[in-house]
Amino acid sequence: MRGFLASSIGVVTAAALAVPLTLSTPALAEAVPVAPGSTQSLPLLPLGPSATARIPGVPGMSTLPDLAETRGLTPRDVKTFSLVGVVWDDAAAELGGRVQVRTRSVATGAWSDWQDVDTHSGEHAADPDAAERGTGRVRGATAPLWVGPSNGVEVRVQADDATAPRAAARPGRLPSGLRLELVDPGSAAQPPAAADDKNGAPPSSTPAVPPDDDKPDAPALPEMSMEAAESSSANVPHAPLGALEISALDKADSTADAIAADGELSAAARPYIGPRPRIVTRRGWGADESLREPGFVYTSTVKAAFVHHTASGNNYACKDAPAVLRSLYRYHVVSEGWRDFGYNFAVDKCGTVYEGRAGGVAKAVLGAHTMGFNADSMGVAVIGTYSSAAPPKAAVDAVAGLTAWKLGLFGADPRAKTTLRSGGGNLYKKGTNVKLNVISGHRDGFATECPGRLLYNQLPPTRTASAKLQGR
């Protein structure tokens, strides 16, 4: 795998370090205190006949313990959380079974109906031979499910063959070390304004924090940690240190900005760089930079974009998208053991684009999104589940705009094919050269439902729209 690890000292430029680490705007200095996130990790216990009999849709529940292993938790009070998932010890093991949860709302005190958790999430991961996968911390995991602020939970995990006739079934087995992960996203000091949920229109590129005319034009930045400075400086000169967002640019200014930032930008790429979309930075959505590993890993180029859905459900408002991202980030790093957020970018249902994995939005950052094809690619995840629900037009348009810009920086035509070498997966053996669409769905590189049938069906017009924005 081609790439290199940038040290935490090397990526923080001398110019950035010359700026006092105090707040970039006076408004931020008066922001509400940040509430740190947290993770509750609860071991799942064997369930008896009386407990398992209430699992819906499974006949013969009174004999279930004789047929297959079943684990879970009976209803209980817990500290407030907003996202739930299940993890286990062996990252290579699959959970062949069904996971269901129900939760109690903080706001209403009412229990939800049972909800299924997507058990197939291992394909969103680092390549098999990547250093990120060999740390010893990586675990198997279900997809995370966003449930909103909750303080009660009940969970059932049953093996695949629980409904098989007794004479034909061998008792099912679940992976060892099953634990329920309950994630509280905490709060960010100053999230940028979100899109209007009602009309789905993306927000304007107006700065999230208005200037204060009574204060100096260049106030200093407050108590920014070394990790936060490292992450923010990776986006200089596209945005100043401490920026909450990277502003939108039209096509001409986007090209000029790219040339100014990279004097070696190829002549072939320059005519086809799409307009840069507004991008909320990690600082903007409140990423806790102390969670991730220091430094960044880069690959040689960006030849393709893989489109995903997070499979975390659609029950969120756009104003809550930063909290969803903080939860996903914590789940990826703390619960699953990855070095950072898995996707390079995320897009919410209102079309807001967010910086994902740290390392610089304009750079070829190695992610953990499409196992086997993370090198020389980028991952874009639309927040939600789009197997049976149609993705909003604003989100699809945002994917087209983002790919027109980012692929354009590397001279890639969204309508074209490209060749990537497989790092190993369930569709292509390691070392296989595979021809793929420059804008592909996750399922094109790995046997998975992701990005959901209805989002996947939007990829052909997305390629056309992205190329048009590039001027092709």
Side-chain angles (χ1 to χ4, degrees), residues 62-368:
S62 62
T63 59
L64 178 59
D66 297 329
L67 295 175
E69 185 177 6
T70 309
R71 289 182 171 264
L73 293 174
T74 54
R76 64 193 56 213
D77 297 335
V78 291
K79 293 186 294 184
T80 300
F81 68 97
S82 293
L83 180 138
V84 61
V86 172
V87 301
W88 52 91
D89 293 338
D90 185 359
E94 294 187 8
L95 194 161
R98 187 179 189 185
V99 176
Q100 294 178 300
V101 299
R102 66 187 193 113
T103 56
R104 186 179 62 211
S105 167
V106 168
T108 67
W111 284 87
S112 71
D113 294 332
W114 285 100
Q115 300 182 78
D116 284 296
V117 179
D118 187 347
T119 59
H120 301 290
S121 189
E123 61 269 20
H124 302 262
D127 290 354
D129 62 348
E132 181 172 353
R133 200 173 179 88
T135 62
R137 300 190 303 272
V138 179
R139 303 179 186 92
T142 67
L145 179 67
W146 175 261
V147 295
S150 305
N151 58 12
V153 68
E154 183 176 11
V155 61
R156 313 275 191 241
V157 182
Q158 62 193 70
D160 260 338
D161 60 354
T163 62
R166 182 186 295 271
R170 297 179 59 189
R173 285 288 175 256
L174 296 169
S176 63
L178 284 172
R179 303 183 69 86
L180 180 69
E181 301 288 288
L182 303 175
V183 180
D184 172 21
S187 65
Q190 187 71 37
D196 184 338
D197 288 357
K198 186 174 182 181
N199 60 31
S204 71
S205 58
T206 303
V209 181
D212 186 338
D213 293 336
D214 295 330
K215 302 287 181 122
D217 291 336
L221 294 171
E223 300 183 3
M224 185 186 278
S225 68
M226 190 66 175
E227 295 91 349
E230 175 190 54
S231 178
S232 184
S233 69
N235 287 319
V236 175
H238 304 288
L241 187 70
L244 301 180
E245 64 177 56
I246 298 169
S247 61
L249 296 175
D250 63 21
K251 190 176 189 310
D253 287 342
S254 181
T255 303
D257 176 81
I259 293 171
D262 183 1
E264 297 182 358
L265 192 70
S266 73
R270 295 183 185 191
Y272 300 114
I273 299 171
R276 187 177 71 194
R278 170 184 179 263
I279 303 171
V280 177
T281 65
R282 287 169 63 92
R283 184 170 174 82
W285 56 262
D288 180 351
E289 298 293 354
S290 68
L291 295 179
R292 65 173 176 84
E293 290 186 10
F296 314 122
V297 182
Y298 298 102
T299 57
S300 299
T301 187
V302 177
K303 298 170 67 177
F306 285 98
V307 177
H308 305 256
H309 67 175
T310 59
S312 53
N314 303 320
N315 187 28
Y316 73 95
C318 291
K319 65 181 177 59
D320 297 325
V324 177
L325 286 173
R326 292 194 300 274
S327 297
L328 293 171
Y329 171 45
R330 177 171 279 275
Y331 187 73
H332 286 178
V333 177
V334 177
S335 301
E336 296 189 78
W338 299 356
R339 76 182 317 272
D340 194 355
F341 189 75
Y343 310 104
N344 299 103
F345 296 93
V347 174
D348 71 22
K349 64 173 71 172
C350 291
T352 302
V353 177
Y354 301 86
E355 178 184 14
R357 179 162 288 208
V361 296
K363 298 177 182 177
V365 180
L366 178 68

